[in-house]
Every structure is written in structure tokens, then in C-alpha cells.
Amino acid sequence: MAITGIKGFNDILPGEVEKWQHIEATARRIFELYGFAEIRIPILEKTELFARSIGDATDIVEKEMYSFVDKGENRVTMRPEGTASVMRAFIEHKLYAADQVAKLYYMGPMFRYERPQKGRYRQFHQIGAEVTGVTDPKIDAQVLSMLCHFFAELGLNEPRLEINSLGCKECRPVYRNALKEFLARKIDQLCEDCTRRYDTNPLRALDCKSAGCKEATAGAPSVLDHLCQGCADHFASTRRYLEGVGTAYAINPRMVRGLDYYTRTTFELVTGLLGAQSAVAAGGRYDGLISELGGPQLPGIGFAMGVERVALLLDGREFRRRPDLFIAAIGEAAQFEAFRLMNSLQQLGVSVEIDYEGKSLKSQMRRSDKFNSRFTLIIGEDELSRGTAVIKNMDAGVQKDVELDAERVAETISKGSAAC
Ligand code: ATP
Ligand code: MG
């Protein structure tokens, strides 16, 4: 019996992969406009990195991590997210010594042991960005505007931006107590998870999907009414800058994040198109994380988007590439010439296909149809002796003679339909 892949671990096949390449290329292009540089981080990290940064009482650390002890007795984890690793690298390589302000982006696979379903997998992919060393809310607005710019560039008007503030280490505990007090009377309504984390992480009940938690938290106090002056000012300025550049947003005071390190501005890009998997991207400020991981006292802000979910939003769009040219050839001499011509054209940067095994012209043309090439060229004995052949522009439906010379053919193709 053939061996299959592991549940929740997907192959990304040709036909679909072009969409991924388009998403990745768009991210690189847009993020680099905003001064972000790529960082590549390893897949395996010490388990304690995630336990310390993401937080012990989070879903990720409690039940979703792929952790194991390696042959050297080291406790290691396949990264469930990127921020912790990026900050670990930022600290380890003292990037802050050259410039406290680092703007970094990454892309790659992440691993979480979750129940696989549409938009939720065990190996999934994130594209994320992080900025260190800026407290000013201009950076909050810029990071959010960049993210919205990215989605606009993909031609998507979903997802939509929602923002909130989670306060800081001064005002969050006050809010936490107010919320706990509110929930104390309704604790029997909370789901098992939220009851368990009532003490360690009561905010999670606010975005819990269970009916009981929804009911229990209806009318709960809002975090935005509990912000200290500094956090309230920061939130107000973030909004002003967002409005200043026309980045649309909605305030969602019930938004909390599943990771402990967030402070102040938090945000999600949400869609109604993917069922329960409504968050396409999410992130926020983490002003205490860098020092928590043993680095300097520097603030940070960032986000990660789920590439699978972005790809789902792009469903139905065609990103498959078409070859520039398909060459059909009749007879051995013409097939040899077609092979040489193909090779020279590829050297010139033209993408070319032939039917390697093609016997009849009919079978070659069938293959040509399958490729949906922009141009076709048919070479037979006559063409060979004349040194010219007919090149056809398949979209415009027009054709003309072209010299059987790679430079001439490449020229015709690069001029596109105008030349034909
Ligand atoms: P969710 O609420 O959907 O579980 P999350 O809060 O766990 O998301 P984050 O840790 O903030 O997600 O990760 C950022 C983004 O990564 C999410 O918005 C989502 O698009 C994507 N993502 C997270 N987990 C998965 C997964 N298991 N499969 C596919 N994409 C995922
Ligand atoms: Mg999750």
C-alpha cells in the first residue's frame, strides 16, 4: 500500500503553489517598501523559549506544541509561531547594538497540534513582521497600514481590520480583577477551559466560542474603560494616525490574544468567509517580551498572517503561469531544430515547452492546448529549408512569419500582441 502524508500536514502542489508564490512575492515587495528586511529563523528551538514568551497558560503551550526530547536529551519544540524566535535572534546577535529599531519579516512553516479542518492545519505557514525599539504609536499605525496595503495589493477587500488595546502591566491587572469579579458570579456558565484558566488567564473567556462563555461575558466590563492614561493616549494616537492615512478599522474591545506577551495595541484581520477560522492575521505590541527573554528593555510590535487562510481568500483566481511559447515540430530534422531553438530561447529568458515524446502533429497540438502558451510556432520541413516559420499569438489570434533564429523569435514574443 502506498504511504500517505500525515494528517494536518499538506503538500502544496503546482497549480496551487503559484498562488503561494504570488502571496510571498507580494509580501516581500510591500514589506520592503516599509523598510523591513527578511530574517530566517530555525524551525527547532529550545522548548523554554516558547514556554517563557507565549506563556504557560495558553492553548499553544498547554496543548498544541510539537515538543520532544532529542537524542542529546535536549527539550526542543518545532516552532508554533515566529515572534519568539525572531526576538531570540535579535537578542542573541545583539542587533540592537547597531540600531534599536529593527524591522524584520519572516515566512515559513509553523507547527501546532490542533484539530485539522478548513483553514486549520498542523503544519501551517505564516508570514510575519516585527518592529523593535519604537514606543511611538506612529509605528502601530504604520504596521497596520502596511498589513492593509498588503491585502489591498492582493486585490482583497476582506479581511477587515479590528483593533483593541490590552493595556500595560500597570492597568491590565486592574482590568483583570474587574473582569474576574464580574465573572465570579457566572463561573458555572464558563466552559471547562475557561473555568480552568479563570485564575491564570481570565481574558480568554471574552473571545471563547462556547455558548456558555458568550453568555457569561455579555455585558462584561470593557478593557478600554480601564486603560491608564498612558495606554489611553497611546490608543487614541494610534487611531489618529490610522485615520490620518485613511486606514479603515473597527474597535473590538473583546479582542484578546492567545499569547501572553501582548500589551497595548492588539489587532486582527478578520473575515466572514472562512467560518470559525475568521482570523487571517493577528498581532500586537509586546513591550515586555524582549526584556523577558533576557534582552534590553525595548518595546516591540508585530503580526503574523496565516498563508493558508490568505490563499483560501484568493480561491478561484488563476495564478498558474503560462509558457511564452510552444514549439511543435514535424519530422526528425525539425524536431532537432525545435530542441535547439527551445534551448537558445530559454537562455534568452523565454519560457518554452515542446512535446518531448510528440509523434503526430495532432498529439503535439493537444499538448500545446494543455499548456495554454501565449505563442505557438510550428516547424516542418518547408519551414526548415526556408529558415522561417509562422508564429501565432494565441490570445490575439494573429500570426506572422518569423526567422528561425532565437533572437528574432524572442523579439517577437517580447513585443507581445502588438507585433503580430
Ligand atoms: P485561531 O484563533 O484561528 O486559532 P490564533 O490566535 O491561534 O488563531 P495566531 O497565533 O495569532 O493565531 O497566528 C496568526 C495567524 O496564523 C492566524 O490569524 C491564522 O491566520 C494563522 N493560524 C494560526 N493557527 C493556524 C493553524 N493551525 N492553521 C492555519 N493557520 C493558522
Ligand atoms: Mg489558535
Side-chain angles (χ1 to χ4, degrees):
M1 211 170 62
I3 299 169
T4 57
I6 301 172
K7 191 172 159 204
F9 288 68
N10 300 320
D11 302 305
I12 303 153
L13 304 176
E16 171 72 4
V17 85
E18 292 81 0
K19 190 191 288 172
W20 283 62
Q21 291 171 338
H22 178 70
I23 295 168
E24 289 162 1
T26 304
R28 287 181 194 287
R29 184 163 53 77
I30 299 300
F31 295 0
E32 285 170 15
L33 288 177
Y34 291 76
F36 284 72
E38 185 178 3
I39 180 167
R40 299 196 183 189
I41 42 179
I43 282 171
L44 215 57
E45 295 273 6
K46 292 178 182 164
T47 299
E48 63 180 287
L49 173 67
F50 302 113
R52 202 188 308 172
S53 59
I54 298 172
D56 285 327
T58 57
D59 281 355
I60 296 179
V61 173
E62 274 185 346
K63 45 190 184 193
E64 295 175 0
M65 292 208 304
Y66 276 90
S67 299
F68 59 94
V69 179
D70 74 6
K71 289 192 168 61
E73 303 286 308
N74 306 296
R75 291 171 52 79
V76 292
T77 295
M78 289 166 77
R79 62 183 190 198
E81 60 110 38
T83 305
S85 303
V86 173
M87 290 308 124
R88 195 259 316 131
F90 173 77
I91 296 164
E92 186 172 340
H93 303 289
K94 298 192 172 57
L95 298 188
Y96 51 84
D99 190 348
Q100 294 194 339
V101 182
K103 295 190 205 167
L104 303 165
Y105 77 87
Y106 60 87
M107 45 183 74
M110 305 292 161
F111 304 85
R112 297 185 194 176
Y113 194 82
E114 299 198 72
R115 195 166 67 78
Q117 53 199 289
K118 184 178 175 187
R120 191 177 295 283
Y121 311 99
R122 291 181 173 173
Q123 173 173 328
F124 63 101
H125 297 76
Q126 287 186 335
I127 299 179
E130 317 287 350
V131 185
T132 61
V134 186
T135 303
D136 194 281
K138 275 193 218 71
I139 200 68
D140 303 51
Q142 174 121 89
V143 164
L144 287 169
S145 299
M146 177 174 89
L147 195 49
C148 293
H149 185 174
F150 165 81
F151 285 107
E153 197 69 14
L154 288 179
L156 292 170
N157 49 17
E158 290 258 353
R160 292 169 203 283
L161 173 61
E162 291 187 354
I163 63 171
N164 192 20
S165 175
L166 289 180
C168 62
K169 62 178 189 306
E170 305 302 326
C171 55
R172 178 131 45 125
V174 180
Y175 173 65
R176 234 171 93 121
N177 285 339
L179 183 65
K180 279 176 79 172
E181 212 164 284
F182 175 86
L183 290 176
R185 284 168 277 139
K186 307 169 176 231
I187 201 146
D188 341 320
Q189 278 169 273
L190 298 180
C191 74
E192 203 181 305
D193 277 344
C194 289
T195 308
R196 184 170 40 79
R197 58 195 175 198
Y198 170 78
D199 275 314
T200 50
N201 202 351
L203 273 65
R204 283 316 302 250
L206 289 173
D207 82 336
C208 181
K209 313 274 187 305
S210 89
C213 293
K214 277 191 176 147
E215 210 173 294
T217 56
S222 163
V223 63
L224 295 175
D225 296 330
H226 288 79
L227 297 180
C228 62
Q229 198 56 48
C231 288
D233 289 347
H234 187 95
F235 194 55
S237 299
T238 301
R239 293 180 55 189
R240 205 163 60 82
Y241 285 120
L242 284 173
E243 284 155 25
V245 294
T247 297
Y249 65 88
I251 294 176
N252 176 1
R254 297 172 71 87
M255 184 204 305
V256 298
R257 305 286 317 121
L259 300 87
D260 275 357
Y261 51 61
Y262 287 117
T263 53
R264 292 194 164 175
T265 315
T266 49
F267 50 89
E268 282 187 354
L269 277 107
V270 294
T271 175
L273 304 175
L274 301 178
Q277 277 55 256
S278 58
V280 179
R285 244 184 202 280
Y286 43 83
D287 291 349
L289 178 62
I290 298 171
S291 57
E292 181 68 25
L293 290 176
Q297 230 357 296
L298 287 174
I301 180 169
F303 64 79
M305 71 176 98
V307 183
E308 283 80 0
R309 296 187 192 176
V310 180
L312 282 167
L313 291 180
L314 289 170
D315 251 2
R317 292 220 226 146
E318 190 54 70
F319 293 94
R320 207 186 291 254
R321 270 182 288 277
R322 308 167 63 186
D324 296 317
L325 178 68
F326 183 90
I327 309 176
I330 310 136
E332 203 152 312
Q335 288 193 355
F336 190 78
E337 182 53 29
F339 179 72
R340 275 169 30 109
L341 190 58
M342 170 171 77
N343 192 270
S344 307
L345 282 164
Q346 286 162 335
Q347 302 289 328
L348 291 173
V350 178
S351 61
V352 187
E353 286 287 350
I354 58 168
D355 180 353
Y356 298 97
E357 311 273 13
K359 302 229 163 59
S360 68
L361 180 61
K362 202 166 148 205
S363 80
Q364 294 186 50
M365 292 322 283
R366 258 204 308 272
R367 195 149 174 83
S368 166
D369 277 352
K370 193 179 257 174
F371 281 117
N372 187 26
S373 61
R374 293 172 53 228
F375 288 81
T376 54
L377 186 73
I378 301 179
I379 312 176
E381 260 168 47
D382 281 358
E383 284 80 4
L384 216 51
S385 58
R386 273 190 286 127
T388 63
V390 171
I391 187 165
K392 183 168 181 187
N393 181 324
M394 302 307 282
D395 295 331
V398 290
Q399 58 186 49
K400 72 168 198 180
D401 280 345
V402 64
E403 208 180 309
L404 282 178
D405 167 84
E407 303 262 357
R408 295 287 88 74
V409 176
E411 216 172 74
T412 308
I413 287 172
S414 74
K415 283 184 191 147
S417 54
C420 265

